[in-house]
Amino acid sequence: MAIGKLFIGRKVRELRGANKATQAQFAERIGISTSYLNQIENNQRPVSAAVLVALAEKFQINMSELSSGEGDRLLSALTEALTDPLFENLAPNFQELKLVTQSAPNLARAFIRAHQGYKRNNEQLVGLSDSLGRSASLAETTPYEEVRDFFHFVDNYIHALDVEAEKLAGELGLGEGDSYSILSRFLKSQHRIEVKRSETDNDVLRQFDRSSGTLSINRYAPISTRDFQIALKIAQLHAPDLIQSIARDANFRSVEALEICKIGLQNYFAGALLLPYGEFLSAANSLRHDLDLLSARFGASLEQVCHRLSTMQRPGNKGVPVFFARIDRAGNITKRHSSTKLQFARFGAACPLWNVHEAFEAQGRIIRQLAETPDGARYLCLATQITKSGAGYHRPQPRYAIAFGCEVSYAHAFVYADDLDLSAKANFAPIGISCRICERVKCPQRAVPPLMRKLQVNHDKRTILPYVIAEA
């Protein structure tokens, strides 16, 4: 596989700093001139294949760790922010944006955060014009969004927490088998907590009574939910200091965000405990990511399996890079992560041409789609509907669609691609990220015009859209 141009100046600079070497010393160790190293560190020249090999050999690093996954996410978020009409005629070109995300990622994050604040403030002023005198805190990122971004920019992988959960899973013999009995015995023997399935309120999945040391689990919750809630309680008891440390080091701006992050980290530990990294990754590869078989093998829900697959980013032992999202019937993305080039829109709904919307009409089936985004990247897209059950006949049954997939270059690792022709361009449906930033000029299902393109209106001719998007 050919290696494209890699501008990884910041990572090389950090590696040199970690080894307490001068540019001259570092350049000598990897066999290049000091001037070449200086150009690499300032992103004036890409690294060659020979330099990559030297870095791997001399400093025992995995070349996959030099990938631009984080840069892709920053580049996507920065590009979307700059489509705002506020920056008309000022937006830098692609190479300039790439240089910023590679050389000054914290500056890019600061810009994105500032734009989020501006946009939120603007929306509040429009929607709440009678409340202009209220606190300026309306302009700030909400605690939930701040935590969501934290997980997004750490690639949805928390190494210390994942390793600790895997260690405990090995000690308990988790991974396959009766997780409920193992988890319940552990709580009883190590923490003197009795697990009971009880007739709790339908909205309560888990409730802990400190006075009696009883953990009540809703008896009508699905088995996968029941086990996960017990595992989450174990996370609270087994790794509180580690969770507190990780959340504190994220430097959230509010107590609310800190506490929400701790819940997210507890959830992460629970998932890593029930689906331990090494065993789960091995099974995913041997079963070729058959979601139903993985769910049955580990006693997990399909959503839990997809979510866990999106966290397989351990340095030196990464899984297939995938995207994962959970979407409600209104098109709201309630969970999201992507370690592929496909990055979900931060504002607006998902592309209507994406097969995830069809999942609501195909209950019980995993549907497939070959798709191509405007940048030319191609994907194998899977989608299926899930229902949050257990509430009874008279209660609402929340329904979601799960979107999951990978870039076509990895499709051979998925059983779902076996009978698909991946070579024919005509088999790939054109999709976008969000209408407001999609550049496709002839999309029949466009909801709103792209922000950074001028429109032409012809009163004598009407096409599918009441306007024509001017060519760039």
Side-chain angles (χ1 to χ4, degrees):
M1 182 180 294
I3 299 176
K5 290 185 177 181
L6 280 179
F7 292 88
I8 54 173
R10 180 177 63 87
K11 294 184 179 180
V12 172
R13 191 163 57 248
E14 290 174 351
L15 182 61
R16 178 172 63 83
N19 285 271
K20 298 181 173 58
T22 66
Q23 282 193 336
Q25 293 169 334
F26 196 82
E28 183 179 0
R29 288 195 64 182
I30 59 177
I32 63 175
S33 67
T34 305
S35 61
Y36 182 22
L37 176 61
N38 183 271
Q39 290 174 316
I40 289 176
E41 290 192 357
N42 288 284
N43 281 324
Q44 295 173 353
R45 289 180 65 180
V47 292
S48 65
V51 172
L52 284 175
V53 171
L55 289 170
E57 291 179 346
K58 301 292 184 182
F59 299 98
Q60 289 76 50
I61 61 173
N62 191 319
M63 283 193 285
S64 66
E65 296 174 29
L66 298 174
S67 66
S68 56
E70 180 184 10
D72 287 340
R73 288 187 287 278
L74 270 177
L75 184 61
S76 173
L78 188 60
T79 301
E80 183 175 358
L82 285 165
T83 61
D84 194 305
L86 176 70
F87 306 112
E88 187 174 7
N89 300 323
L90 295 175
N93 60 40
F94 178 77
Q95 291 302 325
E96 290 174 317
L97 289 176
K98 198 165 186 179
L99 181 63
V100 169
T101 56
Q102 291 171 339
S103 300
N106 286 335
L107 177 62
R109 292 189 184 96
F111 178 88
I112 293 166
R113 180 174 292 181
H115 178 258
Q116 289 174 337
Y118 158 78
K119 185 170 181 66
R120 191 163 292 103
N121 186 54
N122 189 54
E123 291 173 349
Q124 293 284 359
L125 291 177
V126 171
L128 302 171
S129 58
D130 59 337
S131 305
L132 294 181
R134 296 204 299 182
S135 170
S137 63
L138 291 172
E140 296 182 1
T141 302
T142 67
Y144 174 81
E145 291 170 328
E146 194 177 0
V147 173
R148 180 195 64 189
D149 289 345
F150 162 75
F151 280 97
H152 181 62
F153 285 111
V154 298
D155 212 11
N156 208 27
Y157 176 74
I158 312 294
H159 184 72
L161 211 54
D162 210 298
V163 170
E164 183 62 27
E166 185 178 31
K167 178 183 175 182
L168 180 59
E171 294 171 356
L172 298 180
L174 285 167
E176 296 184 34
D178 184 6
S179 297
Y180 177 76
S181 297
I182 295 173
L183 295 172
S184 299
R185 283 198 301 268
F186 176 76
L187 281 179
K188 179 71 172 178
S189 63
Q190 297 298 315
H191 300 284
R192 297 181 180 179
I193 293 176
E194 186 79 31
V195 178
K196 294 183 178 180
R197 286 180 283 182
S198 58
E199 298 277 353
T200 61
D201 186 285
N202 280 330
D203 292 330
V204 178
L205 295 175
R206 178 193 79 251
Q207 185 165 319
F208 179 57
D209 186 335
R210 295 179 182 273
S211 61
S212 65
T214 301
L215 179 66
S216 298
I217 304 293
N218 190 323
R219 70 166 61 250
Y220 300 112
I223 292 175
S224 58
T225 300
R226 177 196 68 190
D227 293 349
F228 188 88
Q229 293 304 320
I230 301 174
L232 191 145
K233 185 61 185 176
I234 291 176
Q236 294 174 342
L237 298 168
H238 185 78
D241 294 339
L242 180 57
I243 288 172
Q244 175 69 25
S245 174
I246 295 171
R248 185 182 61 246
D249 290 347
N251 294 319
F252 292 112
R253 293 175 294 169
S254 68
V255 174
E256 292 89 343
L258 177 69
E259 295 303 317
I260 291 172
C261 183
K262 287 164 65 175
I263 292 175
L265 294 171
Q266 292 164 6
N267 280 315
Y268 186 99
F269 186 96
L273 180 62
L274 294 171
L275 306 171
Y277 195 100
E279 186 176 350
F280 184 72
L281 180 59
S282 176
N285 290 332
S286 64
L287 296 174
R288 299 186 60 223
H289 297 83
D290 189 308
L291 303 178
D292 289 324
L293 292 182
L294 284 170
S295 296
R297 181 164 176 172
F298 288 91
S301 70
L302 190 142
E303 179 181 352
Q304 289 170 347
V305 166
C306 290
H307 198 157
R308 184 57 170 150
L309 286 170
S310 78
T311 69
M312 297 285 104
Q313 296 299 305
R314 181 173 294 181
N317 190 27
K318 292 188 176 184
V320 174
V322 300
F323 62 80
F324 161 72
R326 188 182 72 185
I327 299 174
D328 66 18
R329 293 183 69 91
N332 300 306
I333 300 178
T334 59
K335 283 185 180 180
R336 68 176 191 185
H337 177 66
S338 176
S339 52
T340 71
K341 292 180 180 178
L342 178 67
Q343 300 298 322
F344 301 107
R346 303 174 70 84
F347 306 103
C351 175
L353 298 176
W354 197 14
N355 71 332
V356 65
H357 304 289
E358 299 175 19
F360 290 106
E361 305 167 10
Q363 187 171 2
R365 292 170 43 215
I366 296 176
I367 59 176
R368 306 174 298 173
Q369 179 186 41
L370 295 177
E372 180 177 332
T373 49
D375 60 0
R378 295 180 177 179
Y379 301 91
L380 169 65
C381 302
L382 309 174
T384 190
Q385 178 188 279
I386 61 170
T387 301
K388 299 291 186 179
S389 60
Y393 177 76
H394 291 291
R395 302 282 293 181
Q397 300 284 321
R399 292 175 180 162
Y400 298 93
I402 295 295
F404 183 78
C406 66
E407 294 179 32
V408 161
S409 58
Y410 294 97
H412 64 277
F414 288 74
V415 67
Y416 306 99
D418 283 351
D419 59 343
L420 298 178
D421 183 358
L422 306 179
S423 62
K425 180 177 176 61
N427 291 340
F428 289 81
I431 66 169
I433 303 302
S434 175
C435 286
R436 64 192 300 277
I437 59 173
C438 181
E439 294 292 308
R440 297 193 190 278
V441 297
K442 295 184 178 180
C443 177
Q445 288 201 241
R446 178 174 287 281
V448 296
L451 288 173
M452 294 299 290
R453 298 286 286 275
K454 294 186 179 299
L455 304 181
Q456 298 171 347
V457 178
N458 185 339
H459 294 281
D460 297 323
K461 182 180 179 180
R462 169 63 194 259
T463 57
I464 295 176
L465 298 175
Y467 51 79
V468 174
I469 301 170
E471 295 293 338

